[in-house]
Amino acid sequence: MTSERPTGPPPAAPDDRQRPLPSRPPRREEVAGATVGVLHRGPWWKSDLFIVDLGDGPMVVKDFAGKFWLSRLAGRFQIDQECRAYRRLGPLPCVPAFLGRVDAYAMAIEKIEGDLLTDSPNRFTDRRTHLRRIRRVIDQLAAIGFAHLDMRARRNVLLRPDGKIVVVDFAGAVWWRPGSFGYRLFESWMRWWYQATLLKWKKLLTKGISPREGKTFRYHRGFIDLVRALRLRRRPRRS
Ligand SMILES: Nc1ncnc2c1ncn2[C@@H]1O[C@H](COP(=O)(O)OP(=O)(O)O)[C@@H](O)[C@H]1O
Ligand SMILES: [Mg+2]
């Protein structure tokens, strides 16, 4: 472990949310013609993400349409679930704005300016600030009964130019209405999961540990983090 001197929050930059959002998602027949870039080309079982611009600004289209039929079939359910998740989340600063569904295989969301948090040059020097912000995002999601479940993946956490954290990829999320029976049943499990997620991010933002740490033994390490998180929860708090 290295000890780093926190240098305070990253310099303020204009909030890119001030930029107006595209007014609508593209129709299927518009996607190919309005695609201005490929953001992420997924393997055969995952979606492709395109940057699409209809003339009023870029947006991201997550699309399974060009995939193998089995992936397209699975993609329908994933897109369905992710659209439901975005609708349930509503407008939150820590998630991209939902622009709408294109068709059964695709949906459109706000394009987040910025990069992966793990690719940011200030990820170590501003570690404390980033961790505080990740914790805040987690608290926001937990407060509305939303368990992301895939926030351990470094590719799902982005850093905007204004220093804010944005999480993407809600296909695996689950949620309960706060106060409901399901929420009461799963709240402590969800918080335990998030605690383990934070442990992973502490490692990812520590100098000397590669962002690809845990790639091979991902699930094994995930299990260890869960056990550590459980111990932390059980440890009596010092006043
Ligand atoms: N709204 C967005 N703005 C900018 N980049 C994004 C956005 N959504 C996703 N990405 C980038 O594309 C990658 C893949 O998207 P994701 O939704 O995580 O798909 P997958 O299901 O393939 O993991 C992410 O890791 C992220 O880097
Ligand atoms: Mg992802």
Side-chain angles (χ1 to χ4, degrees):
M1 287 272 274
T2 53
S3 62
E4 288 133 18
R5 190 168 49 85
T7 55
D15 184 343
D16 57 308
R17 275 288 165 84
Q18 302 306 321
R19 195 182 56 197
L21 291 168
S23 55
R24 64 172 179 87
R27 289 187 289 275
R28 168 55 65 192
E29 62 275 17
E30 292 173 317
V31 172
T35 295
V36 294
V38 177
L39 185 64
H40 178 78
R41 185 71 76 179
W44 65 267
W45 68 95
K46 281 197 158 198
S47 58
D48 294 325
L49 282 94
F50 302 109
I51 304 173
V52 172
D53 194 335
L54 292 173
D56 55 358
M59 65 186 119
V60 170
V61 170
K62 187 167 182 175
D63 194 2
F64 282 88
K67 297 289 169 172
F68 174 57
W69 69 267
L70 203 57
S71 321
R72 275 210 312 277
L73 188 65
R76 285 180 85 112
F77 293 102
Q78 286 186 44
I79 292 293
D80 202 51
Q81 174 72 354
E82 198 157 0
C83 287
R84 289 200 308 125
Y86 273 110
R87 288 196 186 103
R88 170 72 182 79
L89 283 164
L92 275 182
C94 60
V95 302
F98 179 61
L99 299 174
R101 194 158 177 164
V102 177
D103 60 12
Y105 304 107
M107 61 170 206
I109 52 176
E110 172 191 4
K111 177 170 183 334
I112 301 300
E113 298 309 327
D115 221 333
L116 298 181
L117 173 56
T118 51
D119 287 349
S120 152
N122 70 10
R123 65 191 179 282
F124 302 133
T125 48
D126 292 336
R127 178 177 189 263
R128 281 188 188 198
T129 308
H130 294 319
L131 285 173
R132 200 177 58 237
R133 286 179 170 163
I134 292 175
R135 197 172 287 128
R136 204 180 299 151
V137 168
I138 284 178
D139 286 345
Q140 275 179 1
L141 295 178
I144 56 169
F146 213 91
H148 185 293
L149 299 189
D150 204 13
M151 257 183 85
R152 291 174 58 82
R154 67 183 196 97
R155 296 195 155 275
N156 291 339
V157 177
L158 309 178
L159 180 67
R160 295 201 314 185
D162 61 7
K164 302 220 174 83
I165 297 288
V166 177
V167 288
V168 295
D169 201 357
F170 291 90
V174 288
W175 56 91
W176 305 272
R177 192 169 39 79
S180 65
F181 178 68
Y183 182 82
R184 288 201 300 272
L185 203 62
F186 289 108
E187 187 193 0
S188 66
W189 172 83
M190 172 179 68
R191 292 195 184 272
W192 172 37
W193 187 276
Y194 274 139
Q195 177 91 54
T197 300
L198 259 178
L199 290 177
K200 167 87 183 265
W201 275 98
K202 282 184 178 168
K203 280 185 276 177
L204 288 175
L205 298 178
T206 299
K207 212 173 184 165
I209 299 183
S210 147
R212 300 191 76 77
E213 180 260 2
K215 185 84 184 153
T216 322
F217 299 114
R218 208 165 18 167
Y219 302 109
H220 160 250
R221 286 185 196 276
F223 179 73
I224 290 175
D225 283 346
L226 280 169
V227 173
R228 286 182 57 210
L230 194 63
R231 286 209 192 118
L232 285 175
R233 287 169 69 83
R234 287 200 175 144
R235 191 181 296 167
R237 278 173 186 260
R238 279 192 225 130
S239 56

